[in-house]
């Protein structure tokens, strides 16, 4: 059984870069979900509620916001895959 692990990026992040999104999509073979507000992020997260992990593309702020919502919506702590490309990458 193939397991789908979603990858998310914040479209409003200061470091948002469409070229880097394309690179990650090419390397992983997965679509990066670029979201522009929290309600959109939450809506897409609900579709992947049974995923064993989540990919996050961005800096500290993006990682914090995605992780907080993942754990609230999924009620479990999945594995995280980080693609650091933010202004701050201290996580």
């Amino acid at each position: 059984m193939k397991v789908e692990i979603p990858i998310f990026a914040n479209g409003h992040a200061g470091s948002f870069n469409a070229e880097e999104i394309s690179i990650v999509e090419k390397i992983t073979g997965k679509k990066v979900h670029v979201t522009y507000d929290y309600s959109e992020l939450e809506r897409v997260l609900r579709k992947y509620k049974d995923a064993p992990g989540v990919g996050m593309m961005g800096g500290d702020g993006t990682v914090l916001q995605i992780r907080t919502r993942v754990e609230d919506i999924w009620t479990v702590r999945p594995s995280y895959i980080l693609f650091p490309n933010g202004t701050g990458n201290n996580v």
Side-chain angles (χ1 to χ4, degrees), residues 10 35-43 61 65-66 69:
N10 176 358
T35 59
Y36 293 90
D37 60 52
Y38 297 139
S39 62
E40 182 182 9
L41 172 62
E42 291 167 0
R43 180 181 53 77
Q65 292 301 326
I66 293 172
R69 282 164 177 77

Side-chain angles (χ1 to χ4, degrees), residues 43-58:
R43 180 181 53 77
V44 179
L45 279 172
R46 283 185 179 86
K47 293 180 181 180
Y48 293 96
K49 199 168 182 173
D50 295 325
V54 63
M56 299 179 285
M57 192 174 173

Side-chain angles (χ1 to χ4, degrees), residues 61-74:
T62 298
V63 168
L64 175 65
Q65 292 301 326
I66 293 172
R67 182 177 172 215
T68 298
R69 282 164 177 77
V70 164
E71 293 180 16
D72 285 348
I73 293 169
W74 292 6

